[in-house]
Amino acid sequence: MIRFVLRRGLAAIPIGLIVTLGVFALVFAMPGDPLREMAGDKPIPAAVLAAKRAQFHLDQPFIVQYLLSMKDILTGNFGTTFAGADIADQLRLRIPVTLKLTLLANAVQWTLGLFFGIYAGFKRNGLIDRSLLLVTLVLLAVPGLVAYFAAQYVFGVELKWFPVSGVLEGFPRSYLLPALVIGLLGFAGLARLMRTSIVETVNADFVKTARAKGLGEQRVLWRHILPNALLPVVTFIGIDLAGMFGGAIITESIFNLPGLGQFMFQAIKLKEGGVVVLLSTLAFVSFIVINLLVDILYGLLDPRVRNV
């Protein structure tokens, strides 16, 4: 297992470089001068502008800017934003916000998705199964942006059940509305996958053989059906969890949550390439770590894949 983890980690290095280089190139290619745009209509003395360009390496060629940004990341010297905010302090403040939102949203998604998916799979063609298929079809058809703004208006503005935006009311109240929307939208795909996987596994030959040998239903359920039915679900959950940061960019911006997603959105808007590369690197490392954990969990659920 250690060799497997090391092999995957080494393979991720060139991929990470390509990803961060591509993201940095997109930010670099955006038109306009970020320092002049920050100043607005106020005139900037040429000497001040030149000093600021040198401070943030904006007077260097593209590849030099990228390499300097990567050096700062690897050495832990994150520096400051164009506005003068310490990036390390920003990370310390914003990471807990994104983690709280992610954990709460996943708690909703996994609890509802696994419970209803497993129940519908074992009680297929019943009332709950048919209702689940209808509800999930509707949820999958609703665009995320529409759901976010509709939830804000209905439950925040009209009914006043939740705060419309911000984190002034603390955890968990300020996070409940965006987490519920994310969780319910994600629940639809998870529940349908869980239900389908259960149905296919229940009808598999090895389950019929286990029952023919006289094994009890509880043993068949816990030793044969659920471990095999969970394999595709684990993959889905891993990819979904790893992609949460991308979704947080939209969610945190709409609900004004001061997390990493909002920080990324602001950095892209202000064309702060160093911040974008840093956050992209954090997202990529998180993706790799989560996928490694998924592979390890795969090996626990199905010993046959440990040597693949």
Side-chain angles (χ1 to χ4, degrees):
M1 184 60 73
I2 295 177
R3 290 178 59 188
F4 170 76
V5 172
L6 289 175
R7 188 167 63 248
R8 290 291 295 271
L10 291 174
I13 293 175
I15 300 174
L17 291 174
I18 294 172
V19 169
T20 53
L21 180 61
V23 172
F24 191 84
L26 291 174
V27 176
F28 185 85
M30 293 175 66
D33 186 333
L35 295 179
R36 289 189 180 278
E37 290 180 9
M38 281 191 64
D41 296 330
K42 297 178 182 178
I44 307 178
V48 174
L49 189 61
K52 284 291 183 181
R53 288 185 186 281
Q55 178 185 350
F56 295 106
H57 313 303
L58 298 179
D59 56 344
Q60 299 291 335
F62 160 73
I63 192 64
V64 175
Q65 290 188 40
Y66 171 74
L67 292 175
L68 288 172
S69 296
M70 292 303 297
K71 186 198 79 171
D72 291 341
I73 292 172
L74 294 174
T75 57
N77 179 28
F78 300 146
T80 64
T81 64
F82 290 163
D86 187 88
I87 295 176
D89 289 340
Q90 289 292 309
L91 292 178
R92 281 191 288 269
L93 292 172
R94 292 175 181 273
I95 286 176
V97 174
T98 299
L99 284 178
K100 290 175 184 176
L101 176 63
T102 301
L103 293 175
L104 196 56
N106 278 291
V108 174
Q109 176 181 340
W110 297 350
T111 302
L112 295 178
L114 293 176
F115 176 79
F116 283 104
I118 292 173
Y119 187 89
F122 283 112
K123 303 290 184 180
R124 57 188 180 280
N125 298 324
L127 177 61
I128 291 183
D129 183 28
R130 295 180 185 276
S131 301
L132 178 70
L133 293 177
L134 177 61
V135 170
T136 54
L137 183 62
V138 172
L139 289 174
L140 289 171
V142 176
L145 283 175
V146 174
Y148 294 141
F149 287 119
Q152 269 188 324
Y153 178 74
V154 174
F155 299 107
V157 177
E158 292 295 328
L159 298 177
K160 295 181 171 52
W161 290 356
F162 304 99
V164 176
S165 64
V167 293
L168 291 178
E169 297 195 27
F171 182 83
R173 183 166 171 76
S174 296
Y175 299 81
L176 277 175
L177 185 57
L180 285 171
V181 178
I182 297 172
L184 288 174
L185 292 176
F187 140 80
L190 178 59
R192 289 177 74 96
L193 179 62
M194 187 75 248
R195 180 220 180 247
T196 302
S197 186
I198 288 287
V199 171
E200 291 178 350
T201 307
V202 166
N203 294 322
D205 291 337
F206 65 86
V207 174
K208 296 177 181 177
T209 302
R211 285 177 173 151
K213 290 180 178 179
L215 296 181
E217 281 299 314
Q218 290 296 321
R219 185 176 177 84
V220 172
L221 171 64
W222 292 104
R223 294 294 299 273
H224 296 278
I225 297 177
L226 283 181
N228 287 278
L230 283 172
L231 288 175
V233 176
V234 167
T235 303
F236 177 89
I237 289 176
I239 295 173
D240 190 59
L241 184 60
M244 272 286 181
F245 179 72
I249 296 176
I250 299 174
T251 308
E252 292 178 0
S253 300
I254 292 174
F255 288 93
N256 194 28
L257 300 176
L260 293 176
Q262 187 193 67
F263 196 26
M264 173 70 94
F265 179 79
Q266 293 171 349
I268 293 173
K269 187 169 63 174
L270 296 174
K271 288 170 280 194
E272 298 200 52
V275 177
V276 174
V277 169
L278 170 61
L279 296 178
S280 299
T281 303
L282 289 176
F284 180 77
V285 170
S286 300
F287 185 86
I288 294 300
V289 170
I290 290 171
N291 273 276
L292 283 174
L293 293 176
V294 167
D295 289 333
I296 293 172
L297 185 56
Y298 243 77
L300 295 175
L301 290 173
D302 188 354
R304 294 172 299 176
V305 303
R306 293 177 186 174
N307 298 320
V308 175

